[in-house]
Every structure is written in structure tokens, then in C-alpha cells.
């Protein structure tokens, strides 16, 4: 696992239930402001699914973005946490 991935997982792991962040916000927060696609790639390989809630990271335009278990599952998880998507 790379240092970049560890930073992504640490940041995303701290996103509280009912809150979301964008891929770009995660990239900026961990010190790689242009690496938002790399954030998505790291989350796609998330080995800590139960601990790192990667479903709480969405696209800047408010769309859900990808999810390893499928977009519909991501939307279900967000709705169960009372998160409204655009």
C-alpha cells in the first residue's frame, strides 16, 4: 500500500455518518490537489470496506460517482444515512 492510499483511507475513514466529501476535497485535504482521479482509484481498491466508508465520497457535481459494489448500492447507503444527492 502506498503512502498516498494510506492518506486517502485515513481521511475518508474520518468522514462521519451522514456527511460526504468530494474526490477533489479529499485530494486537497491530503496534499495532492490535482489527484482527485487517483483518490477514486485508491477508493476502488479499498481493503478496509467496513472501516473506510468510501461510499461517502462523491463527484464535485453532486453525482454519486463510482462504487465497487455498484452505483445503486452507493446511493442506497447514502440515502440510509440521510444524505441527499443532486
Amino acid at each position: 500500500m502506498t503512502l498516498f492510499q494510506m492518506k486517502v483511507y485515513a481521511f475518508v475513514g474520518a468522514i462521519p455518518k451522514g456527511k460526504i466529501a468530494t474526490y477533489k476535497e479529499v485530494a486537497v485535504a491530503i496534499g495532492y490537489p490535482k489527484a482527485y482521479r487517483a483518490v477514486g482509484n485508491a477508493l476502488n481498491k479499498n481493503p478496509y470496506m467496513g472501516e473506510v466508508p468510501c461510499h461517502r465520497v462523491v463527484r464535485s457535481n453532486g453525482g454519486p460517482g463510482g462504487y465497487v459494489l455498484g452505483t445503486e448500492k452507493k446511493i442506497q447507503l447514502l440515502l440510509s444515512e440521510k444524505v441527499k444527492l443532486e
Side-chain angles (χ1 to χ4, degrees), residues 1-78:
M1 181 177 312
T2 67
L3 177 61
F4 178 83
Q5 289 171 318
M6 289 189 286
K7 288 182 177 188
V8 170
Y9 302 143
F11 183 85
V12 173
I15 299 172
K17 186 175 182 179
K19 301 292 182 183
I20 57 172
T22 67
Y23 295 101
K24 186 169 186 168
E25 288 171 341
V26 174
V28 169
I30 65 169
Y32 298 87
K34 295 184 180 185
Y36 39 90
R37 285 181 159 233
V39 168
N41 287 331
L43 293 175
N44 188 47
K45 297 177 178 91
N46 179 5
Y48 309 109
M49 287 287 286
E51 301 164 35
V52 177
C54 53
H55 67 279
R56 294 182 187 147
V57 182
V58 299
R59 296 177 63 177
S60 293
N61 68 3
Y67 188 58
V68 72
L69 299 177
T71 304
E72 289 301 317
K73 181 65 175 176
K74 183 174 188 172
I75 292 169
Q76 285 177 347
L77 289 167
L78 291 170

